[in-house]
Amino acid sequence: MAMATSDPARRTTARGAIVAVGLIAALLASACGSAGSAATTGRAVGAGVLASLRTRAVPHDWRQVRLSKGGAALAAPPGWRRVSGDPGSATFVLGADADHPLAYLNATPATEEEQLASWVGFRLSHNRGEGDRNVRLLGSRGELRLGGGVAARCLQDAYTSGTTRYTEIACLAQARSGRTVIVAASPTAAWQRERATLTRAIDAVGAA
């Protein structure tokens, strides 16, 4: 997956982005990298919702976290809670049930295998390797510039984990100090409601 790092009883390992009964460990594992194939998708897609992404300042009332490694800063709006995750990562969820959040944001330092040139194929292969089914690429965009001189390549995809369908935006962001995987996701049933906030969080990603 990656709603990163999902009714997912599967993502139980750290990068290395829900416990066996919940979503968080599943999301975290999906936000993480893996040694999976960087195979291409085999078909061309447009940018879709990613076409609207652009650099924007962090809203004054959002909470921002700067990663010690990876070179990126992630921000979340009021009402979102920060929860524990992989060392060096930042994870925010929306909703009272942290195991089954209504939406999810995660930033995790990238692995060596995660590279801008092969990001789209790598991410889809990684999600399939995590056990996600019916993985579908909805859009992709390269040559994206975020705040603080951060270059990024992003994709939007959907997949089924357990009995739930999820939609995510997953970006590989590169700053001078390193690369970071940024995941913004929600159950597909809630995607239209949460999309504006999730894309706004991507817009606000900056250099740490």
Side-chain angles (χ1 to χ4, degrees):
M1 160 189 173
M3 199 178 152
T5 338
S6 19
D7 187 87
R10 56 181 176 74
R11 303 193 202 291
T12 58
T13 60
R15 173 178 299 272
I18 310 247
V19 293
V21 294
L23 170 64
I24 292 298
L27 293 177
L28 287 173
S30 182
C32 299
S34 78
S37 166
T40 60
T41 64
R43 67 185 183 89
V45 298
V49 69
L50 305 177
S52 67
L53 295 178
R54 63 191 186 280
T55 301
R56 289 198 281 175
V58 178
H60 68 87
D61 57 345
W62 283 35
R63 180 183 180 187
Q64 189 174 44
V65 174
R66 299 181 184 279
L67 273 62
S68 58
K69 295 182 179 179
L74 179 69
W80 287 60
R81 294 182 297 120
R82 187 174 182 183
V83 297
S84 61
D86 297 341
S89 70
T91 302
F92 291 95
V93 298
L94 175 66
D97 186 350
D99 286 342
H100 300 85
L102 301 175
Y104 167 92
L105 291 168
N106 174 267
T108 305
T111 64
E112 283 301 317
E113 292 85 358
E114 291 166 317
Q115 300 287 337
L116 289 175
S118 57
W119 174 240
V120 174
F122 181 94
R123 182 66 183 184
L124 297 176
S125 178
H126 168 68
N127 287 352
R128 293 185 182 104
E130 287 293 327
D132 295 326
R133 308 183 310 282
N134 304 315
V135 178
R136 179 187 176 196
L137 179 65
L138 303 177
S140 67
R141 182 179 174 187
E143 307 291 329
L144 181 63
R145 291 287 171 178
L146 302 175
V150 176
R153 175 161 291 182
C154 300
L155 65 86
Q156 180 189 10
D157 68 313
Y159 56 86
T160 301
S161 175
T163 60
T164 304
R165 189 76 174 165
Y166 293 92
T167 299
E168 72 167 1
I169 293 174
C171 299
L172 183 61
Q174 179 151 8
R176 285 185 178 181
S177 53
R179 298 186 313 283
T180 307
V181 176
I182 308 291
V183 174
S186 76
T188 299
W191 176 257
Q192 290 302 322
R193 183 178 69 245
E194 305 300 337
R195 183 181 68 179
T197 298
L198 294 173
T199 56
R200 184 68 182 85
I202 299 294
D203 290 340
V205 170

